[in-house]
Amino acid sequence: MKIYADRFPVALRQLLTDLLVVAWVYVAIRGALWLHDLVQRLAVPGQKLEGAGGGLADNLAEAGGKVGRVPLVGDELTAPFERAADAARSLAEAGRDQQELVDQLALALSVGMLIVPLGLVVFGWLPLRVRWMRRAASAAALAAAPAGRDLLALRALATQPLGKLTRIHPDVAEAWRRGDESTVETLAALELRQLGLRPRGR
């Protein structure tokens, strides 16, 4: 008995769930990237501070070099320029430190924003999806085996709601025990439909 995936409610629900999970992951990643870019804007003052401090330090160092060439008093006049250049370099270093801090903060916040949604997918949805795939593969293998439909029918008797079972036959268990072809076939098909599968031709 060959089977194929069909547009039954279970399969349709599985497809919709997969699409929702993909959308969920996409939104989570986009949100994390948006947060990262937003926090990165806090680094702009540090960039400006680094640029201004570095430029000022270079200018002061250049001016100190020119003043240092003055005969007799050049060395004494250079000292204030060197101290000012050092202070400007400290400002530039503070700007670089601020940018590094913002980079670390942006990365930490974006990763933190991804932990919960991706954790739900990896530890919540994915195991259920893998289990469903294994169950469907096992059902497909049973359906292809000579006695497989009997096992599927037995599983249907044990797991399906009583309302569905009584609609198949008034005494469905007795009909299965005596090997009623129609009852066994219907029970097996019911179990396959529970997994979003069905016998070909049904």
Side-chain angles (χ1 to χ4, degrees):
M1 181 167 51
K2 298 181 179 179
I3 62 174
Y4 63 92
D6 195 21
R7 295 180 180 179
F8 280 95
V10 172
L12 182 58
R13 287 197 301 270
Q14 189 68 56
L15 176 60
L16 292 177
T17 302
D18 293 345
L19 292 177
L20 286 175
V21 168
V22 171
W24 172 268
V25 172
Y26 174 79
V27 170
I29 293 175
R30 292 294 301 176
L33 292 175
W34 172 81
L35 180 61
H36 185 275
D37 293 341
L38 181 64
V39 175
Q40 280 286 7
R41 295 178 186 176
L42 298 176
V44 173
Q47 296 170 358
K48 293 182 179 179
L49 185 61
E50 180 185 4
L56 181 60
D58 293 340
N59 292 333
L60 289 171
E62 183 180 355
K66 292 179 180 178
V67 171
R69 291 195 292 269
V70 176
L72 302 177
V73 295
D75 292 339
E76 296 179 2
L77 295 176
T78 301
F81 287 94
E82 291 178 350
R83 288 194 295 270
D86 290 340
R89 293 189 188 96
S90 297
L91 288 176
E93 184 66 26
R96 284 192 292 272
D97 292 342
Q98 192 263 352
Q99 292 177 70
E100 291 178 2
L101 180 61
V102 169
D103 288 341
Q104 295 172 2
L105 179 62
L107 180 61
L109 289 177
S110 58
V111 170
M113 187 176 182
L114 283 174
I115 286 177
V116 173
L118 294 187
L120 290 175
V121 170
V122 173
F123 299 107
W125 169 82
L126 187 58
L128 294 176
R129 188 69 171 91
V130 171
R131 186 172 65 179
W132 178 84
M133 292 172 64
R134 288 177 176 173
R135 289 177 58 194
S138 298
L142 281 176
R149 65 174 188 165
D150 292 328
L151 293 175
L152 290 172
L154 178 60
R155 180 174 174 81
L157 281 174
T159 60
Q160 294 297 324
L162 292 176
K164 290 184 178 180
L165 296 177
T166 55
R167 283 197 294 270
I168 295 174
H169 193 282
D171 192 356
V172 65
E174 176 62 27
W176 173 80
R177 275 196 296 268
R178 67 171 184 266
D180 181 72
E181 187 77 15
S182 176
T183 300
V184 171
E185 190 74 23
T186 304
L187 285 171
L190 182 61
E191 184 63 21
L192 291 174
R193 288 189 178 94
Q194 185 67 26
L195 295 172
L197 304 169
R198 73 167 184 174
R200 183 181 296 275
R202 277 186 173 267

